[in-house]
Amino acid sequence: MTKAEPPVIGIVDDDHAVRESLRFLLEVAGHLVETFETAADFLKSETKHLACLILDHHMPHLTGLELAERLRADGSGIPILLITGSPSQAIDARAAELGIDNVLTKPFDEEDLLDFVNTHRS
């Protein structure tokens, strides 16, 4: 009998400090975390075991919404949390169209992020 891999939380954010602070927060809360600097890094990875994905919206080359769109086009139903420093009705509307579970505005309440992750960790 093989032991199932524990769920991993994916983070895609081009800002090193934000990426590492999110990693720290989630690891302290008992989660396993895998981080990616760019959407392209995430797409090139062979990560198949994520419980959920936290995406920064404003990233070079591919935004968080564009990455979510590619994932949905590929048939992925992974739960996604989008984080943005520039909230807008257009971002919220597109996120809803893509089935993004939640959009948080920076600065956000850590409890909101942890609630999202805890809801989708299994």
Side-chain angles (χ1 to χ4, degrees), residues 17 21 63 93 106:
S21 68
T63 68
K106 295 177 186 175

Side-chain angles (χ1 to χ4, degrees), residues 23 36 40 75 82:
R23 174 198 292 272
F36 306 89
L82 184 72

Side-chain angles (χ1 to χ4, degrees), residues 13-121:
D13 196 312
D14 62 312
D15 185 318
H16 176 77
V18 171
R19 194 170 60 248
E20 290 307 308
S21 68
L22 290 173
R23 174 198 292 272
F24 179 76
L25 171 68
L26 292 171
E27 287 179 344
V28 166
H31 301 285
L32 296 177
V33 179
E34 193 164 343
T35 63
F36 306 89
E37 186 174 354
T38 67
D41 290 341
F42 176 78
L43 291 170
K44 286 187 285 188
S45 76
E46 303 220 0
T47 303
K48 305 282 188 244
H49 56 279
L50 295 178
C52 60
L53 191 57
I54 299 168
L55 302 178
D56 181 34
H57 176 59
H58 295 285
M59 295 186 291
H61 309 294
L62 277 178
T63 68
L65 283 174
E66 291 168 336
L67 175 55
E69 184 174 14
R70 283 181 96 178
L71 293 171
R72 296 303 190 235
D74 290 342
S76 173
I78 187 170
I80 296 174
L81 170 68
L82 184 72
I83 298 173
T84 182
S86 304
S88 73
Q89 289 181 341
I91 289 173
D92 289 345
R94 186 64 183 137
E97 288 172 6
L98 293 170
I100 291 176
D101 298 80
N102 200 351
V103 178
L104 294 181
T105 301
K106 295 177 186 175
F108 54 85
D109 186 337
E110 292 176 352
E111 287 302 315
D112 291 336
L113 184 130
L114 290 170
D115 287 347
F116 169 80
V117 169
N118 288 331
T119 300
H120 297 94
R121 75 179 286 179

Side-chain angles (χ1 to χ4, degrees), residues 2-8 32 48-49:
T2 60
K3 187 175 179 181
E5 286 188 38
V8 177
L32 296 177
K48 305 282 188 244
H49 56 279

